Amino acid sequence: MRLDRYLSNAGIGTRKEVKKLIKDGKVSVGDLIIKESDYQVTFNSKVHVLNKLINYKEYYYLLLNKPKGYISATEDNYHKVVLDLVEDYKKYHIAPVGRLDIDTTGVMLLTNHGSLAHSLLSPKSHVSKTYVAEVNHPLSKDLIGLFSTGVTLDDGYKCLPAQLKIIDNLHAELTIHEGKFHQVKRMFLTFGYEVINLERTKFDDLTCKGLSQGEYRELTDEEITHLLNHIK
Ligand code: URA
């Protein structure tokens, strides 16, 4: 990998800033001062910037408990974005894996591991996602069967079988294995229910246990290993 890319991925600065550091002789690889931005380094290289050893980590994985009012994007001219909640990690070029609506709360994964994100979002991966929905009028038990055979959405798409558990009159837990646009809200709407509150409580095995809304943490090694099983 090019030295300038290595340094910007490591969060040292923008590509322009790190190129200047390199040109100014502030960067060494092993015992040599390197002044060429395209100098090739590996993850094992000992790179120092201003005599400080860079602790290079290629990938970052964050679990965020998304609050309402934020859109699942890296930047936007009109709305707050989930990246605003993880300010310290912006420099690592992380992005949300999939989308939650602006008014949906709960489990959101962010990473700069592009191939993992791609695999998790692939229609073939069938990663399970569990939501708790609050609806606008009392739930019928018939929905359990209707959801388990595959709901047909307004555009004619037939959803994969989904598991519905009725919690009480107005609340249900729904597990789906795909991620179509506004899928949960549209599934309920098919049967005349408006979702007035939606929380994602689980993404694969990840939950927001211990995280208040707006809080986040890095995944543990065990959680990362488990997610990486989804890469084909
Ligand atoms: N389904 C929806 O309708 N909204 C979300 O935010 C996530 C799933």
Side-chain angles (χ1 to χ4, degrees):
M1 178 191 327
R2 290 173 57 112
L3 181 57
D4 55 356
R5 179 149 183 252
Y6 176 101
L7 292 176
S8 79
N9 285 358
I12 302 305
T14 62
R15 209 62 175 257
K16 193 167 157 208
E17 288 164 349
V18 300
K19 274 186 199 298
K20 181 161 187 332
L21 284 170
I22 297 168
K23 198 158 153 247
D24 291 350
K26 308 283 198 255
V27 179
S28 65
V29 181
D31 293 334
L32 300 173
I33 303 258
I34 303 295
K35 293 196 170 183
E36 294 81 40
S37 288
D38 61 356
Y39 185 86
Q40 292 294 312
V41 288
T42 69
F43 300 130
N44 297 324
S45 302
K46 293 242 169 310
V47 181
H48 287 80
V49 176
L50 297 164
N51 294 324
K52 198 165 159 253
L53 180 64
I54 304 303
N55 181 7
Y56 189 91
K57 207 159 118 175
E58 189 175 16
Y59 297 128
Y60 289 84
Y61 308 87
L62 296 185
L63 175 64
L64 167 72
N65 188 349
K66 179 191 169 299
K68 288 188 186 196
Y70 289 80
I71 62 165
S72 306
T74 51
E75 51 186 17
D76 189 82
N77 289 334
Y78 304 103
H79 298 102
K80 293 182 282 185
V81 295
V82 288
L83 261 280
D84 295 338
L85 295 161
V86 296
E87 200 64 46
D88 290 352
Y89 287 81
K90 269 190 182 171
K91 59 189 178 199
Y92 302 121
H93 316 295
I94 57 167
V97 178
R99 284 193 223 161
L100 289 179
D101 297 335
I102 191 164
D103 56 352
T104 302
T105 59
V107 181
M108 167 146 268
L109 178 66
L110 298 109
T111 185
N112 59 349
H113 192 163
S115 58
L116 173 68
H118 188 263
S119 297
L120 293 171
L121 295 175
S122 150
K124 288 188 199 133
S125 86
H126 302 324
V127 175
S128 63
K129 292 139 208 149
T130 300
Y131 296 85
V132 171
E134 181 182 345
V135 294
N136 64 337
H137 60 90
L139 290 155
S140 155
K141 287 206 178 68
D142 296 347
L143 288 176
I144 298 172
L146 291 164
F147 278 33
S148 75
T149 52
V151 177
T152 301
L153 299 179
D154 45 3
D155 59 0
Y157 176 78
K158 186 167 192 291
C159 299
L160 292 173
Q163 293 71 52
L164 186 77
K165 284 186 199 151
I166 295 186
I167 301 171
D168 62 30
N169 242 359
L170 296 177
H171 296 86
E173 186 186 81
L174 178 65
T175 300
I176 59 174
H177 307 275
E178 53 197 335
K180 301 286 167 212
F181 189 55
H182 297 321
Q183 181 165 345
V184 174
K185 290 176 185 166
R186 286 163 72 208
M187 285 172 78
F188 277 101
L189 208 53
T190 303
F191 304 103
Y193 292 90
E194 198 184 318
V195 172
I196 55 176
N197 243 314
L198 189 61
E199 179 187 7
R200 181 154 72 188
T201 52
K202 218 168 166 200
F203 178 96
D204 197 39
D205 272 359
L206 301 171
T207 71
C208 281
K209 195 165 162 252
L211 292 177
S212 302
Q213 281 183 16
E215 288 185 341
Y216 64 92
R217 64 169 173 84
E218 286 198 31
L219 293 193
T220 63
D221 289 347
E222 202 184 345
E223 288 168 333
I224 295 167
T225 308
H226 192 267
L227 277 183
L228 294 181
N229 287 328
H230 288 283
I231 298 187
K232 294 286 177 300

